[in-house]
Amino acid sequence: MEIDGNTLVLVFVFLFILYSNPSGDGVTSQYEYNQLQTLKAQYQDEYSQFQNLTSDNNFRNITGLRLSYGDVLRNPDINATYPIEGKDYDHWYSDEKYTLLPEDVLHEVNNSVWQHGKNVYPANLTSTLHGRVVNSHGNYLKVPMPIPEYYEPAQDLSQNQPAFNEPYFTDPAGREAARNITFDEGEIVIEISSADTTSSFFEDEHHFHNSQSDKLRFLHMNLHFSDPAYNEKHVINTKAIYDIKNGRIMAISESAKFHSLFALPHYINLKSEDEAFFNAVKTLVEEYWNATDFVNTRSMAYLQDSYATANFKCEFLAFLQLEPWWGYSQEQLKIVDEELMWPLGRRANLSSLPPVNISSGIIYSPDCGIKLQVSNAHGLRYELQVRKMRKLLLCGALLLASQIYLLLSQMQHTNTPSMVNKISYWCFSLMNLVDGSLAIIFFVLTSSIPVLYLPLIMCSFACLILASVFEIRYLISVYASQANEQSVGIMTLLRRSTEGEERRTPTVMPDEASISTSLYRTYIVKMFFSMIVILSMTTWPQSVRMPIECIIIFLLNSYWVPQIARNAIKGNEPRRRQIFANDGPQHQRQNKMPLLWSFTIGTSVIRFVPVAYVYTVPSNVFYHHQDRLFVAVVALWLVLQMGVLYSQEIIGARWFLPNYSIPEGYSYHKGISSGELLEHGSSANYTIDCAICMTDVAVYVDDIDETHKVDKDSYMVTPCGHIFHTQCLENWMSYKLQCPVCRAPLPPL
Amino acid sequence: MSTDTPQGLNNFPITKFCSLLTVGIPIFASIAGVKHWFLLYNDPFISEYKQYYRLLSFQVSAVNETDVALLTLIWYHLRHLERLFGSRKYLSIITLSWFYSSLTVLILAQVFNLNPLINWNRFTSGGLPTIMSVLHFYKEYTPQMYQFDVKLIKPFGTRSKQLKWTFNDQFVINALVAILLLNQGFVGVATGFLSWLCGVFIDKGLLPGSEMFRVPFFKQKSSLRPRQTSSIEAEAGAQAADDQQSSATGDRADEEPNDEPARPLGVQFLNTFRM
């Protein structure tokens, strides 16, 4: 292509369009630009007020902090427009006149949640804690928290300037219902991460230098609470201050109606009311503000998100007390932290590290009047949890490797079509479904847990190899060896003969390439559907998910049932009779069981161990509920299946079938009549040409006595009436179960 | 002995074993998150934590990806030694080299540290000392096959002289070893030199064992299978086998004659993807 001036201009225009709109902060209109500028100006103004704030000074014109619980108590219909008449802005005491909290909540925080006395607490709290939460239905007034109107989207296209009012309309009923917490007792999950990491989708990662990291930490905390059945879920994103010396955590949610960042110094100082401590926290907030460049990094996405949060969620203040780590000194904790962050083999004794435990706490919502009590929320340090998961994944990889080995030895064991023919297609199809889905699950997890990328991708790869190479390969050969049975009824299969049934025209058997194409196609479709089902199942409420999960696991653990059925169809002699009946190699081969016992037992154990782990180990990494009864049922079911398989080997595959349904199987070794002999164009000494080796076959003719010396085992008569040497046909049948002359399907040996 | 090296690593079990371990252990270590098992520092691991297992493990696996690649390539180049010595003697020499080079480096580090001006704290990771010691045997016992000159005519302007460099067939392994030494800094070079001396002393008998010591419980496989001999021999052998088979069909009636070549499992897998 020739590049001239016009092309260059075109390229520049194209690049201009590509990069110019929308700009980095997501503004797409004049209105939005003004909206964002207003937000920034508001934050800047509030920050300058915050800088002048002292420990004995009240909040002035800061969004969400204009009113106190006492103001509302005095006048329930109070309007929060600054300045409020008669409000004391020049003092600060931690009582309900000045704070957002009612007196009894304050009392509880100070006396039963936050404890006296300094102790040793872990400095780094990054972890996920699980605990109980109780809704104590107190009768609290709601402090009105209006959403400033400039947060609202434009009413029409001509509107350029956002309004500045703060409307005090009553909440619509629907919104109220979505926000309210109705359960009495539920579960709480607290995700704690350091402020260096991203808190939400709309904020970038910042590394900020905390000059007082030995005393205070700035945290992001996500609180999830739900009722035990997971019908009602609430998620709150908060910013928190952690007072390391006292083990206190104070977290406040943030939204369009509550600019809570500025409230942190006052509220963590509720108990001690210490000026130096107030100033330290204030410095920390200022450091965070400057490091994140808070005003300039506000984007349109942030604005819209905090508007949505303000509309649909309550604001919360959480006061949590950590349990001390008894018996650790500061130096030991430092070593532990370093070892967790950068493992080198220091003497940290990580295995005996206690969990992070929030012994008590109160979560209070001023605008919804809800009080929740948290107790005993505990969990392992994040790095330890990751180690635990890594170990589990390594065990999983080991299981997968042994499964691959067992499958390979099983494939070696059944290396002829006649042997493969006895394997059940559905048995391996079920295993294949599980392994393929596992590969997908592991792969999806790699993106959600990037720390464990390597072990996860290795497990995913091992599953993929197992499912889509080895198992599919085996399925293809099973399918190919059973292709000639597809048009045959089950009774005929049991009888192993085609007598009495209308002979169909021999179908053209599909070759392996076309079988593998179709099997891979179904495999991919199956994987796709199971992925959708699994992903959607994780979001179902527990009451629905639990029984379905149990049923699915039970069904997926019934993989030997199809094999039992297949054994019954193919039929084999009891072992005792096999030992006594030494009538030639054919019998031995016909009676070999298709599955290796090492494979059967090994596979059952390998597939049972993960289920047992998830359902019986209380500290399992999936936080899955415990159900020992179900595990016992699955184990019994597997043992029962294997027991039936064993009984089939010992007393015959068809012992559970009634006698009349077990007719004689087809026998290749039989005498023929002289009529048939004539049909084959016999020669003078009653022999027939073997179509395979083109030499004579001596046959046993029932009505000619001279031929009765001939051993019936030395030749074979196919159901379609063709006659071959035993050796010739058996060799042929280890490649294909089709008559070499007329392509009619042959019953396998 | 033919001058051509056999293709592949089929007949080099020890080379194969060493290369696989050189790659496999680091992969396992990074998956399991235990790379630090293979680090050795005097302070704090030995002097403070008393983790003496590191004295044994520091040569087992390299921590750095470049070292892993280099070490694997060097093991591959050293395969001529296995051919020359035979697998058992080769493994014995590797074991001796590992033992003596570890010992020398560790003891000399302590000796150097007596001098207050020197602080030898960090040790190399990966099998660098063993490789350097074995390299002496390679240099000593493998003949140079060819050499070639690279001439640069007046490389720096018209007045400069002609430059001539002579390379031989071992220049690749020389380059690899040089990078390996430099990659770990000064410690790498020092350790490399000491371990190379170890190799010399083992060879000369100053460090005992190269003649007496043999790895126990070692089963020597027959070095070449009949199929891998020259094609004429193979055909002759196959014919003889066929004759034998046809004469002995009586006692081996249930064994199938090879009318169609059996497809090994590997071929079957590959065929699956030929659609």
Side-chain angles (χ1 to χ4, degrees), chain B residues 102-114:
Chain B
S102 300
L103 206 65
T104 314
V105 171
L106 293 171
I107 290 175
L108 282 178
Q110 296 305 320
V111 172
F112 282 140
N113 281 344
L114 293 179

Side-chain angles (χ1 to χ4, degrees), chain B residues 66-253:
Chain B
T66 321
D67 288 336
V68 173
L70 288 169
L71 288 170
T72 316
L73 285 173
I74 294 173
W75 278 122
Y76 180 72
H77 279 278
L78 292 179
R79 73 195 188 283
H80 299 287
L81 268 184
E82 183 173 1
R83 194 163 168 240
L84 187 70
F85 288 156
S87 296
R88 189 171 184 190
K89 186 173 177 194
Y90 185 50
L91 185 61
S92 311
I93 284 179
I94 291 175
T95 315
L96 281 177
S97 300
W98 169 74
F99 176 72
Y100 282 126
S101 60
S102 300
L103 206 65
T104 314
V105 171
L106 293 171
I107 290 175
L108 282 178
Q110 296 305 320
V111 172
F112 282 140
N113 281 344
L114 293 179
N115 183 344
L117 295 179
I118 301 177
N119 181 20
W120 185 340
N121 188 27
R122 183 169 72 87
F123 290 88
T124 54
S125 83
L128 183 145
T130 311
I131 285 263
M132 284 307 291
S133 172
V134 176
L135 188 73
H136 160 75
F137 290 89
Y138 179 80
K139 291 280 178 195
E140 188 74 20
Y141 294 110
T142 14
Q144 177 187 324
M145 307 246 297
Y146 57 85
Q147 66 176 38
F148 58 97
D149 295 341
V150 174
K151 285 181 185 168
L152 298 177
I153 302 164
K154 297 176 182 170
F156 314 111
T158 46
R159 281 188 202 165
S160 64
K161 281 183 188 169
Q162 168 181 302
L163 271 183
K164 187 175 128 185
W165 289 325
T166 307
F167 289 106
N168 61 16
D169 60 328
Q170 297 180 351
F171 84 96
V172 178
I173 190 173
N174 294 344
L176 290 175
V177 168
I179 303 172
L180 181 70
L181 291 181
L182 294 175
N183 197 35
Q184 304 213 20
F186 182 71
V187 181
V189 180
T191 309
F193 177 69
L194 291 176
S195 337
W196 175 71
L197 281 182
C198 274
V200 175
F201 292 154
I202 294 171
D203 190 23
K204 301 288 177 235
L206 205 62
L207 295 173
S210 70
E211 292 306 319
M212 291 116 68
F213 173 74
R214 288 294 174 267
V215 181
F217 315 118
F218 189 87
K219 265 190 206 161
Q220 189 91 37
K221 271 193 265 174
S222 64
S223 64
L224 291 176
R225 274 177 256 156
R227 229 181 249 175
Q228 278 147 340
T229 49
S230 73
S231 57
I232 301 171
E233 272 177 39
E235 257 170 46
Q239 248 173 12
D242 274 2
D243 291 348
Q244 264 192 344
Q245 205 170 29
S246 53
S247 67
T249 34
D251 30 331
R252 293 198 286 169

Side-chain angles (χ1 to χ4, degrees), chain A residues 257-311:
Chain A
K257 59 181 189 276
F258 196 30
H259 291 178
S260 60
L261 197 59
F262 309 114
L264 285 169
H266 268 317
Y267 282 90
I268 186 126
N269 208 8
L270 276 186
K271 190 179 167 86
S272 44
E273 299 192 42
D274 171 10
E275 193 178 343
F277 186 62
F278 175 90
N279 288 332
V281 178
K282 200 177 147 193
T283 316
L284 178 62
V285 172
E286 281 169 355
E287 276 171 355
Y288 175 77
W289 177 278
N290 293 329
T292 52
D293 195 7
F294 198 86
V295 169
N296 293 324
T297 50
R298 295 307 97 185
S299 63
M300 208 50 217
Y302 170 82
L303 190 143
Q304 283 156 356
D305 180 53
S306 58
Y307 179 64
T309 313
N311 266 323

Side-chain angles (χ1 to χ4, degrees), chain A residues 54 95 142 156 214 229 243 333 342 360 481 549 590-591 623:
Chain A
T54 58
D95 58 24
K142 295 176 183 176
D156 53 67
D214 54 330
D243 171 9
L333 284 182
W342 191 252
S360 59
S481 78
E549 197 182 272
Q590 199 168 328
N591 283 312
Y623 299 106

Side-chain angles (χ1 to χ4, degrees), chain A residues 615-616 626-636:
Chain A
Y615 276 91
T616 57
Q626 309 305 301
D627 194 344
R628 276 153 213 265
L629 183 70
F630 174 66
V631 173
V633 168
V634 170
L636 274 180

Side-chain angles (χ1 to χ4, degrees), chain A residues 63 104 114 225 231 264 340 376 390 444 480-481 529 595 625:
Chain A
T63 312
D104 70 317
W114 279 354
F225 25 86
N231 289 321
L264 285 169
L340 283 175
N376 202 20
R390 191 190 290 269
V444 169
S481 78
F529 274 103
L595 287 180
H625 65 273

Side-chain angles (χ1 to χ4, degrees), chain A residues 175-367:
Chain A
R175 194 188 289 171
E176 184 80 349
R179 286 163 25 160
N180 204 5
I181 292 175
T182 54
F183 56 82
D184 296 329
E185 204 176 332
E187 287 172 14
I188 186 167
V189 178
I190 306 176
E191 291 170 5
I192 308 176
S193 57
S194 98
D196 284 349
T197 53
T198 45
S199 61
S200 71
F201 185 65
F202 306 105
E203 290 184 42
D204 297 333
E205 207 168 291
H206 299 284
H207 293 279
F208 83 98
H209 177 68
N210 177 2
S211 58
Q212 314 160 78
S213 60
D214 54 330
K215 285 191 292 184
L216 292 168
R217 291 285 167 106
F218 201 96
L219 306 174
H220 289 310
M221 263 171 69
N222 294 342
L223 308 171
H224 307 248
F225 25 86
S226 60
D227 55 335
Y230 299 100
N231 289 321
E232 191 186 326
K233 289 181 191 170
H234 301 267
V235 185
I236 300 146
N237 301 332
T238 65
K239 293 193 165 60
I241 296 282
Y242 169 38
D243 171 9
I244 300 176
K245 294 251 160 69
N246 294 304
R248 295 173 190 164
I249 303 173
M250 146 95 264
I252 312 187
S253 63
E254 190 191 39
S255 78
K257 59 181 189 276
F258 196 30
H259 291 178
S260 60
L261 197 59
F262 309 114
L264 285 169
H266 268 317
Y267 282 90
I268 186 126
N269 208 8
L270 276 186
K271 190 179 167 86
S272 44
E273 299 192 42
D274 171 10
E275 193 178 343
F277 186 62
F278 175 90
N279 288 332
V281 178
K282 200 177 147 193
T283 316
L284 178 62
V285 172
E286 281 169 355
E287 276 171 355
Y288 175 77
W289 177 278
N290 293 329
T292 52
D293 195 7
F294 198 86
V295 169
N296 293 324
T297 50
R298 295 307 97 185
S299 63
M300 208 50 217
Y302 170 82
L303 190 143
Q304 283 156 356
D305 180 53
S306 58
Y307 179 64
T309 313
N311 266 323
F312 294 105
K313 285 179 187 170
C314 298
E315 303 304 328
F316 283 92
L317 292 93
F319 303 88
L320 308 171
Q321 172 66 48
L322 219 61
E323 194 173 317
W325 279 12
W326 308 105
Y328 277 86
S329 66
Q330 291 294 345
E331 289 72 38
Q332 278 171 318
L333 284 182
K334 210 174 159 203
I335 292 177
V336 165
D337 259 357
E338 278 171 0
E339 178 64 20
L340 283 175
M341 200 102 86
W342 191 252
L344 273 179
R346 299 178 188 84
R347 292 179 157 179
N349 201 4
L350 293 179
S351 52
S352 67
L353 210 63
V356 175
N357 188 1
I358 288 178
S359 51
S360 59
I362 283 194
I363 301 175
Y364 178 75
S365 167
D367 63 334

Side-chain angles (χ1 to χ4, degrees), chain A residues 338-348 350 387 390-391, chain B residues 25-41 44-46 49 51-64 123-126:
Chain A
E338 278 171 0
E339 178 64 20
L340 283 175
M341 200 102 86
W342 191 252
L344 273 179
R346 299 178 188 84
R347 292 179 157 179
L350 293 179
R387 277 171 177 238
R390 191 190 290 269
K391 270 184 204 155
Chain B
I25 295 177
I27 289 181
F28 168 77
S30 53
I31 287 173
V34 293
K35 272 185 168 183
H36 59 272
W37 286 358
F38 306 104
L39 282 178
L40 178 62
Y41 284 69
F45 295 135
I46 302 301
Y49 302 155
Q51 290 166 336
Y52 295 111
Y53 71 88
R54 290 177 193 266
L55 301 181
L56 294 178
S57 70
F58 82 102
Q59 283 211 47
V60 172
S61 157
V63 179
N64 184 326
F123 290 88
T124 54
S125 83

